[in-house]
Amino acid sequence: MITLELARCSGCSRCEVHCSFFHSGKIGRSGARVKVVKIESIGIDCPVVCQQCQERYCTRCPEKAIEIDALGQVIVSPTLCTACGTCEIMCPIGAIELYEEIPHVCDLCGGDPRCVKACTLDAIRYEPEVTERVSLKEFNKGSRNLNPEEKRVRYALASAQGLRDEWISERRG
């Protein structure tokens, strides 16, 4: 499972670049399976990537084109997928998005995540031994009518709230 340490993220987007290049041979945010959300107004940069949630909303694919592999990662079958967008709609945090008619979601790079290798600040970690899955039930409420970017911003704001509270508390001393 990919875990995040928001206090360490500088927003450099190395994770996006390496992810995109590994999967497509091209550099570009659109092709990345991890997306860094930058919220300049509050000084937060938050990588958003599949959390391998308990609910596995993306597996509700009507074509059965999405399955969970041995490492717990999401695998999309290009032969079964019809690009209907159900997976994109169902993911409450915007971690799966259609790009060029293909759902892009973290597949853990087969167990060797390139985003983790690229992050020199240790903001993104791969912890294969983590078996307790995160619940995204709270994010599912009210997320259906949002596009993936809006979902990512919503998730980033919620994820960063504890860190922001800590910073404010430290500042007030």
Side-chain angles (χ1 to χ4, degrees), residues 64-86:
K64 308 283 187 243
I66 295 182
E67 61 183 43
I68 308 304
D69 205 9
L71 296 174
Q73 79 274 36
V74 177
I75 303 295
V76 179
S77 169
T79 56
L80 295 176
C81 180
T82 61
C84 71
T86 299

Side-chain angles (χ1 to χ4, degrees), residues 12-32:
C12 71
S13 297
R14 288 174 55 101
C15 54
E16 287 180 359
V17 170
H18 284 256
C19 175
S20 179
F21 191 76
F22 175 74
H23 286 95
S24 69
K26 299 176 187 174
I27 295 174
R29 186 172 199 263
S30 299

